[in-house]
DNA sequence: CTGAAAGCGCTAACAA
DNA sequence: TTGTTAGCGCTTTCAG
């Protein structure tokens, strides 16, 4: 019943030595066709599967790549995960998953855990990348790439899109549509690099168009629906009715839309709303969300390909890959009359 | 830099034998406090991490559980995944992920792959469970639980909710709201057990309320947004305007809503729509989706706890766990006047 | 081309 | 309580 067949059994049954069997399953050294066939037959017959544990133990290759995510059920995350998974499979790697709930402690723990499991590389998806983690990671010398909304100038492998430029573009897009009083609702706590960059993009666009920055229009929340809802509600409760709201995350943007509607305004007729990421729901929602498209699947695919290359000691020409974003013009933003 | 420290190094440095080191790290046999402390110190100093591969090789326990899913980015799936992940961590298991895209071949392959990786158990999320897989799985004698919308009477461990009853209840709910012409849009191809059960629930509710079954109101699609959209569109194009639509999946339900709106009708004023699963988006959408709540997170949690128990040879009183569902009364269904 | 033997890092008898 | 030793299943020299 169970897979107790070992290389020994195969060897015995085929009347050869275990090394010969090893050779045929790995194609590592020449073996007479005749013998080879014999071994192959026995393998098929017995249903023998080499034990990768034993193999890994000697080769020091586990064919495992660890993936650390803040939360599997976040759509930003799981679309990336799809890309990771698929490419991993192509290269015969398996994915070891670790959820951190954005907890710093947990992230560190996960790194350890994965390391212990002998993963050959790690892809880390994290909202906020911290020097501490990087040091830690680099110390253990395990190939890693980061997918993070922050492309800060840490000396690490990252795949991302240009936040500043994307934010600038979307803001400008909004301005071009006639909006001036543009709320800016961010999806992470203040003071991270990410926010700095985005804020910079936002401010720059405003400035270039001679719109005075109004700090009251800026809110910090989280990536979730509820956060967006909350931030928008606060704004409205403060009596601020913007022409448009730019929310740097789609789920939060949808939250914001709902807050707007609950307050008795219409989207986009009264207030336009733009999102960020172009997550699956973005095109399912009504109104369909105008947003910044990030190639989530590709980001995952690229990231893992990078660590695989790293594992194979290939040289990457770039530590930082920036994938192109695109503004997706849908229904939640309209021209302001 | 790298984690090359082995048990030997620790032993040498602590001036003890490797077995002693093994004992302290596993707490398996009494060791003098003094010696123990010494060893612990050295471990801390060197940053030694036991190699689980080597350990697994001898203990035959990999601390790995395989999870096979149709697609990570499906919200039904990833909410379950969250539950799985969390409980796994509690029990010190790691998750090996395999995506199948609902491909039968791929599912079989994944089982093999995971098996090869020495997983101790498998949780399988699959739309359709097939006898072939079950046989295969049972043949390799590896503990497994299935999370599937079908609770068919296979002799396997499953966690699910009662489809028939849930469908019945929701249909009845719709009828009680004054709807008679109720479209029934299913999220999988015809002829699976799942559909049979659901259909039975639907038909029964109709019958009990003296509503004649109209086959034209029944459509088969898939779980995705597009599928729901498509099915609904077809219906409308055929000139059938139902009072309500019951779509057995939230994303598809949202697709249906969009199709309805695109055709110039309003939800829920003209047509009510009900979903199934109560996925994250269900409460984000506008109108908020009236749906059958399935405890996704819990389903994952329960499923993996079951396989862990199975792994530990504990006896489960029930092969089949049915978790309670609940009708969530939100905005997409209203009383018909 | 093939086999014998060493050893990957660890656990678990078995002695001492 | 501790050390010695024999493997776990496999790859990989090294002889032949």
């Amino acid at each position: 019943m169970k897979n107790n067949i070992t290389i020994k059994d195969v060897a015995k049954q085929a009347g050869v030595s275990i090394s010969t069997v090893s050779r045929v399953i790995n194609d590592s050294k020449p073996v007479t066709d005749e013998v080879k066939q014999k071994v192959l037959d026995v393998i098929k017959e017995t249903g023998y599967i080499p034990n990768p544990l034993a193999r890994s133990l000697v080769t020091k290759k586990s064919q495992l790549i660890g993936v650390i995510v803040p939360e599997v059920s976040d759509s930003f995350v799981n679309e990336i995960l799809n890309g990771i998974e698929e490419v991993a499979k192509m290269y015969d790697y398996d994915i070891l998953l670790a959820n951190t709930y954005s907890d710093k402690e947990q992230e560190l723990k996960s790194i350890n855990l994965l390391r212990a499991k002998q993963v050959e590389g790690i892809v880390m998806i994290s909202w906020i990348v911290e020097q501490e983690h990087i040091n830690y990671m680099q110390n253990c010398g395990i190939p890693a790439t980061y997918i993070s909304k922050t492309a800060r100038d840490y000396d690490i492998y990252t795949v991302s899109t240009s936040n500043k430029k994307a934010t600038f573009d979307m803001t400008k897009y909004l301005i071009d549509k006639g909006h001036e009083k543009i709320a800016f609702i961010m999806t992470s706590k203040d003071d991270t690099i990410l926010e700095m960059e985005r804020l910079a993009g936002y401010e720059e666009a405003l400035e270039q168009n001679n719109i005075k920055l109004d700090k009251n229009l800026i809110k910090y929340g989280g990536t979730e629906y509820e956060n967006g809802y909350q931030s928008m509600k606060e704004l409205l409760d403060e009596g601020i009715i913007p022409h448009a709201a730019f929310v740097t995350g789609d789920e939060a943007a949808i939250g914001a839309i709902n807050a707007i509607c609950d307050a008795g305004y219409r989207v986009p007729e009264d207030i336009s709303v733009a999102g960020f990421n172009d997550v699956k729901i973005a095109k399912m929602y009504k109104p369909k969300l105008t947003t910044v498209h990030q190639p989530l699947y590709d980001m995952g695919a690229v990231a893992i390909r990078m660590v695989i290359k790293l594992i194979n000691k290939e040289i990457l020409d770039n530590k930082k890959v920036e994938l192109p974003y695109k503004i997706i013009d849908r229904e939640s933003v309209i021209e302001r009359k």
Side-chain angles (χ1 to χ4, degrees), chain A:
Chain A
M1 208 61 36
K2 267 212 148 175
N3 184 35
N4 287 321
I5 315 116
T6 78
I7 196 170
K8 263 188 204 161
D9 303 320
V10 177
K12 198 177 295 173
Q13 220 174 116
V16 297
S17 74
I18 58 166
S19 3
T20 304
V21 177
S22 173
R23 274 166 204 139
V24 350
I25 56 187
N26 294 306
D27 243 341
S28 47
K29 285 268 170 82
V31 176
T32 331
D33 276 355
E34 197 184 356
V35 178
K36 190 174 189 169
Q37 198 48 55
K38 176 71 192 151
V39 173
L40 253 22
D41 285 348
V42 175
I43 288 178
K44 182 161 278 175
E45 228 171 88
T46 54
Y48 163 70
I49 303 178
N51 182 334
L53 250 46
R55 175 181 286 165
S56 298
L57 191 58
V58 18
T59 58
K60 268 111 175 50
K61 308 202 101 253
S62 64
Q63 294 295 346
L64 248 32
I65 289 180
V67 178
I68 300 179
V69 304
E71 172 146 17
V72 205
S73 68
D74 183 288
S75 41
F76 179 84
V77 169
N78 64 54
E79 292 184 29
I80 292 176
L81 219 46
N82 251 345
I84 293 181
E85 214 279 339
E86 196 147 334
V87 173
K89 192 148 53 199
M90 277 172 42
Y91 288 89
D92 262 324
Y93 276 92
D94 272 308
I95 291 306
L96 221 42
L97 195 65
N99 228 340
T100 66
Y101 298 100
S102 292
D103 181 56
K104 261 184 62 179
E105 276 312 304
Q106 191 55 60
E107 276 181 5
L108 247 18
K109 265 192 219 161
S110 299
I111 297 176
N112 269 330
L113 215 92
L114 294 178
R115 195 156 75 106
K117 290 281 184 193
Q118 311 296 114
V119 297
E120 295 180 42
I122 289 183
V123 175
M124 179 136 176
I125 305 179
S126 175
W127 304 145
I128 303 149
V129 176
E130 309 231 17
Q131 189 61 52
E132 188 186 348
H133 291 190
I134 296 172
N135 291 343
Y136 191 84
M137 204 82 135
Q138 288 181 329
N139 255 319
C140 58
I142 167 166
T145 42
Y146 294 76
I147 296 179
S148 166
K149 296 176 184 165
T150 126
R152 185 185 183 152
D153 209 32
Y154 288 121
D155 188 31
I156 50 176
Y157 293 88
T158 39
V159 5
S160 56
T161 53
S162 169
N163 277 289
K164 185 176 163 192
K165 200 153 171 321
T167 319
F168 175 90
D169 280 2
M170 180 55 99
T171 310
K172 179 153 185 338
Y173 172 88
L174 258 14
I175 295 172
D176 289 347
K177 290 272 182 196
H179 303 283
E180 288 185 9
K181 205 170 161 186
I182 301 171
F184 190 52
I185 297 177
M186 291 195 264
T187 49
S188 48
K189 305 281 172 267
D190 44 24
D191 229 31
T192 62
I193 324 308
L194 173 59
E195 299 321 330
M196 315 260 55
E197 284 191 351
R198 288 190 169 164
L199 206 49
Y202 170 74
E203 291 180 357
E204 211 163 280
L206 254 39
E207 202 180 301
Q208 266 187 33
N209 290 274
N210 303 311
I211 298 175
K212 216 178 87 230
L213 178 71
D214 176 0
K215 296 247 176 196
N216 295 317
L217 285 168
I218 299 173
K219 291 276 177 196
Y220 297 91
T223 59
E224 309 255 340
Y225 170 86
E226 287 77 14
N227 305 310
Y229 188 96
Q230 188 52 34
S231 297
M232 195 60 194
K233 187 170 184 313
E234 279 171 24
L235 213 59
L236 263 18
D237 285 350
E238 289 162 11
I240 303 173
I241 318 296
H243 299 159
F246 180 13
V247 187
T248 61
D250 289 336
E251 299 199 5
I254 287 173
I257 294 181
N258 277 27
I260 292 171
C261 294
D262 287 355
Y265 298 94
R266 291 163 307 162
V267 175
E269 294 81 355
D270 302 319
I271 303 176
S272 285
V273 174
F276 207 110
N277 289 344
D278 196 21
V279 131
K280 225 169 162 188
I281 349 163
K283 40 184 162 312
M284 294 169 41
Y285 201 68
K286 209 162 31 64
K288 295 196 177 69
L289 205 60
T290 291
T291 189
V292 178
H293 172 79
Q294 297 217 66
L296 267 8
Y297 179 96
D298 295 342
M299 288 169 76
V302 169
I304 193 160
R305 200 165 287 153
M306 279 171 82
V307 331
I308 292 173
K309 281 189 181 169
L310 249 23
I311 290 171
N312 298 331
K313 312 275 183 218
E314 292 175 41
I315 291 160
L316 307 186
D317 7 285
N318 263 317
K319 278 209 161 189
K320 311 214 166 290
V321 175
E322 278 208 345
L323 261 26
Y325 60 90
K326 211 165 56 193
I327 289 184
I328 308 287
D329 186 0
R330 285 198 273 248
E331 305 167 352
S332 64
V333 172
I334 54 170
E335 192 97 22
R336 180 159 182 274
K337 323 225 164 72

